[in-house]
Amino acid sequence: MAVTRPRLLTPGPVNLHPAALQALTRPQLHHRSPEAAALVRGLRARLAALLASRGEAVLLGGSGTAAMEAVVRALFRPAARVWVPVAGKFAERWVEIARAAGLEPQVTEHPWGAAVGPDDLPPGRIDGALLTHSETSTGVLHPVRSLAAAVRARAPEALVVVDAVTSFLVAELELESWGLDAAVSGSQKGAMSPPGLAFAWLAPRALERLRPSGYYLDLSRELAAQRQGQTAFTPPIQIVEAVHDVLEAAWPQGRDDLARHWAVKAEATARFYARGAELGLRPVPSREEARSPATAAFYLPRGWTSEALSAAFAERGWRVAGGQGPLKGRIFRVSAMGYFTRAELERAYNDFTAVLRRS
Amino acid sequence: MAVTRPRLLTPGPVNLHPAALQALTRPQLHHRSPEAAALVRGLRARLAALLASRGEAVLLGGSGTAAMEAVVRALFRPAARVWVPVAGKFAERWVEIARAAGLEPQVTEHPWGAAVGPDDLPPGRIDGALLTHSETSTGVLHPVRSLAAAVRARAPEALVVVDAVTSFLVAELELESWGLDAAVSGSQKGAMSPPGLAFAWLAPRALERLRPSGYYLDLSRELAAQRQGQTAFTPPIQIVEAVHDVLEAAWPQGRDDLARHWAVKAEATARFYARGAELGLRPVPSREEARSPATAAFYLPRGWTSEALSAAFAERGWRVAGGQGPLKGRIFRVSAMGYFTRAELERAYNDFTAVLRRS
């Protein structure tokens, strides 16, 4: 049966790109077929090119968190000291993953809503850093390029890993030229595809230092298989095809098409902030320069609960996101990361104003 | 664009059930919505009921291998001695996973094509067993019920874990009443859905002994979230919905509908063996009683290479599977595990005969 569902203004999952939806309607593909091998090869090459990397991208069946853990275990030994600046829920996830893998995370705590700066690097020996580019829980874009520079100035051999889950395809990001050794993302964010496929990027320095670790999340095992156009285990092949087809349809020239897209997404998010300013809403990011193009986050205006606000948007056919961790019940988030027609986005802005004008 | 692809006679992935394909065409669902929570709860309850278990099923974003590893790490400590009878590629995978987790697998080796028996249990202390029900690489159904009985007679506290990847929904299987403590499967086999979602079943004894392990594959973390209708991380929600809808459409009465389905699948597979017998093909399972209903496996007749046979089936619009490990290039496999109309299956049998008659 046909099903009506709210359109998603959430920062992932997002409204699907038409090419993704179309890919899902095809007959089941066998992942050991030549057609599947071409998809795996093509997707890996496109992913690496989109981050301007001479390294390699690895696909993993799972969520972005699976790729976060796989990269940590592949690149660091137990007891490694890695800097994790924490100013949101996804940075906290790095800490949890690092601890579960036996690392010794060097955690610096920052206000949720603030951007971390290079001066926040703690003193002492450092073997690496686990950074968050777009912190989805606060709507802050952290300056990972300058953070990486600070880490490398202190410890040239340290490996810098970036959570690009909501920044990939949405904010400017380059791997080696920005001093980054690895990044991770997932299918259900900027790639406008269903959840279920994670990406790990390994720059040449990370490739050299890859070590086997575990089994299902072992990047070295996956890399060996994927260099042959295979995967080590049965991949979520529909989602591989969806992401492949979206990248081809949306950015046929790869990176050359991205700058315009970043501008579109930044503008789309800025318009939510502009509407918020008209309504007197207080943004979560403490400074305008710190706003991520992936999501706009606002404190709930007086008189609104998170549930009431969600219900008011739902009445108009939209789903928005609440807060997480210490911001639960205190903020709401909207995102233009997914696929929208121009008319649909206009409707989103107008409904945003209509709902919140009641405040 | 519309795409023509071979219909799958492979033992996973398989041709999708129409309910799965339909689920994939819906707008993106947010996994934190009440609708998604209902899907997670409904699917978990159905999964447990289909194995006649009073325990719990846990969903994991990943392939069946992800669930294999998650269960091993959740139930056994490093240095645990677990019996792994090996007579095929997927039993070998248990050994690899057990070693990667620091266990001490007690491996017994058996001819590929043979069924393991209770007398094969090796002497000495045992903390558990990692069994394979339907060994997809050989087409053999191992008698896990009697193997479990042997393990429990030796060591009542030992935990018995079963790879039910290709037996779930295809062969008779019960958890507690068969003496089994845990089982794993995946979406792209008997559930006739896309790959990308794994299932782990934990009987009450296993639930009591669950320990946190790792991060993404930590069953205790997932269980805590899934008891609330949530998942710990973003799930492949399209595939959750696909499997949910297939189970509801194909077996609305749950287990009461299964016996007939097992008979249908057993008969469908037996007909491949009957065609093979007419053609003088040698089955891989050494005894007729050992044949799995999930896949029929034959040695390649003289004069055929694996590639030539695959090409001959491909010409008629079918994809078949070759051999794995020591059987690579020596056998081929066909399966009626997926969704087929009656007419389509008849065409498959006739094409099977037509291709192989040339031998």
Side-chain angles (χ1 to χ4, degrees), chain A residues 2 36 77 79 81 96 111 124 128 137 163 176-177 186 200-201 203 207 233 236 244 253 261 267-268 304 312 317 341:
Chain A
R77 292 173 185 280
R81 290 164 60 97
E96 293 171 0
S137 66
D163 168 352
E176 294 95 297
S177 65
W201 287 263
L207 285 169
F233 311 111
H244 174 278
Q253 307 304 317
H261 182 73
E267 166 65 18
W304 281 102
T341 62

Side-chain angles (χ1 to χ4, degrees), chain B residues 25-77:
Chain B
T25 64
R26 302 205 179 114
Q28 180 68 50
L29 179 65
H30 198 288
H31 57 286
R32 300 297 182 208
S33 63
E35 189 180 352
L39 289 173
V40 167
R41 288 181 202 276
L43 176 52
R44 292 183 65 230
R46 276 184 188 273
L47 289 171
L50 286 165
L51 286 194
S53 178
R54 298 179 317 280
E56 297 192 56
V58 186
L59 312 177
L60 280 176
S63 79
T65 300
M68 292 171 76
E69 184 177 15
V71 167
V72 166
R73 291 180 184 258
L75 295 183
F76 299 104
R77 291 174 186 280

Side-chain angles (χ1 to χ4, degrees), chain A residues 31-32 61 214-218 221-222 231-235, chain B residues 60-73 89-98 100 161 163-166 183-189 195-200 216-217 219 324:
Chain A
H31 57 286
R32 301 295 181 210
Y215 196 80
Y216 182 72
L217 297 178
D218 183 358
R221 186 187 306 264
E222 277 298 340
T231 52
F233 311 111
T234 306
Chain B
L60 280 176
S63 79
T65 300
M68 292 171 76
E69 184 177 15
V71 167
V72 166
R73 291 180 184 258
K89 178 188 158 83
F90 292 95
E92 287 183 343
R93 183 161 295 177
W94 274 137
V95 176
E96 293 171 359
I97 287 171
V161 179
D163 168 352
V165 171
T166 56
V184 299
S185 191
S187 50
Q188 81 281 19
K189 306 283 186 174
L197 185 69
F199 319 128
Y216 182 72
L217 298 177
L219 285 183
Q324 299 173 299

Side-chain angles (χ1 to χ4, degrees), chain B residues 39-321:
Chain B
L39 289 173
V40 167
R41 288 181 202 276
L43 176 52
R44 292 183 65 230
R46 276 184 188 273
L47 289 171
L50 286 165
L51 286 194
S53 178
R54 298 179 317 280
E56 297 192 56
V58 186
L59 312 177
L60 280 176
S63 79
T65 300
M68 292 171 76
E69 184 177 15
V71 167
V72 166
R73 291 180 184 258
L75 295 183
F76 299 104
R77 291 174 186 280
R81 288 165 61 97
V82 291
W83 177 34
V84 192
V86 172
K89 178 188 158 83
F90 292 95
E92 287 183 343
R93 183 161 295 177
W94 274 137
V95 176
E96 293 171 359
I97 287 171
R99 292 209 171 113
L103 277 57
E104 290 176 10
Q106 309 295 301
V107 178
T108 56
E109 298 274 1
H110 313 274
W112 287 38
V116 179
D119 295 341
D120 294 318
L121 178 64
R125 196 196 90 211
I126 211 93
D127 301 311
L130 304 175
L131 307 178
T132 310
H133 192 197
S134 171
E135 173 57 75
T136 318
S137 66
T138 61
V140 166
L141 193 75
H142 293 288
V144 290
R145 188 177 192 171
S146 63
L147 301 181
V151 171
R152 287 183 171 235
R154 166 84 57 79
E157 293 306 307
L159 291 174
V160 181
V161 179
V162 171
D163 168 352
V165 171
T166 56
S167 66
F168 175 56
L169 300 170
V170 182
E172 186 176 4
L173 178 62
E174 302 191 2
L175 222 52
E176 294 96 297
S177 65
W178 282 29
L180 306 174
D181 298 298
V184 299
S185 191
S187 50
Q188 81 281 19
K189 306 283 186 174
M192 299 177 275
S193 296
L197 185 69
F199 319 128
W201 286 264
L202 301 165
R205 270 186 9 146
L207 285 169
E208 277 167 26
R209 288 162 66 177
L210 207 61
R211 47 191 285 275
S213 171
Y215 195 81
Y216 182 72
L217 298 177
D218 183 357
L219 285 183
S220 61
R221 185 187 306 264
E222 276 299 340
L223 193 61
Q226 292 183 23
R227 283 174 173 166
Q228 313 300 322
Q230 300 297 313
T231 51
F233 311 112
T234 306
I237 191 71
Q238 271 88 346
I239 308 177
V240 171
E241 185 165 16
V243 177
H244 174 278
D245 287 9
V246 170
L247 298 189
E248 193 169 74
W251 305 286
Q253 307 304 319
R255 225 178 137 74
D256 292 345
D257 293 326
L258 270 187
R260 189 176 151 275
H261 182 73
W262 294 330
V264 167
K265 290 295 168 183
E267 166 65 18
T269 304
R271 285 192 60 191
F272 279 118
Y273 277 116
R275 294 283 179 139
E278 287 166 16
L279 294 157
L281 299 183
R282 182 182 156 212
V284 176
S286 51
R287 291 179 305 110
E288 190 172 338
E289 315 83 76
R291 292 175 185 169
S292 167
T295 190
F298 301 95
Y299 285 94
L300 283 170
R302 197 183 302 270
W304 281 101
T305 63
S306 194
E307 293 71 22
L309 191 74
S310 291
F313 273 102
E315 266 175 39
R316 291 168 183 268
W318 301 106
R319 184 178 172 90
V320 299

Side-chain angles (χ1 to χ4, degrees), chain A residues 55 59 67 75 82 111 141 144 163 168 183 217 219 264-265 294-295 311 345 354:
Chain A
L59 312 178
L75 295 182
V82 292
L141 193 76
V144 290
D163 168 352
F168 175 56
L217 297 178
L219 285 183
V264 167
K265 292 293 168 183
T295 190
L345 256 190

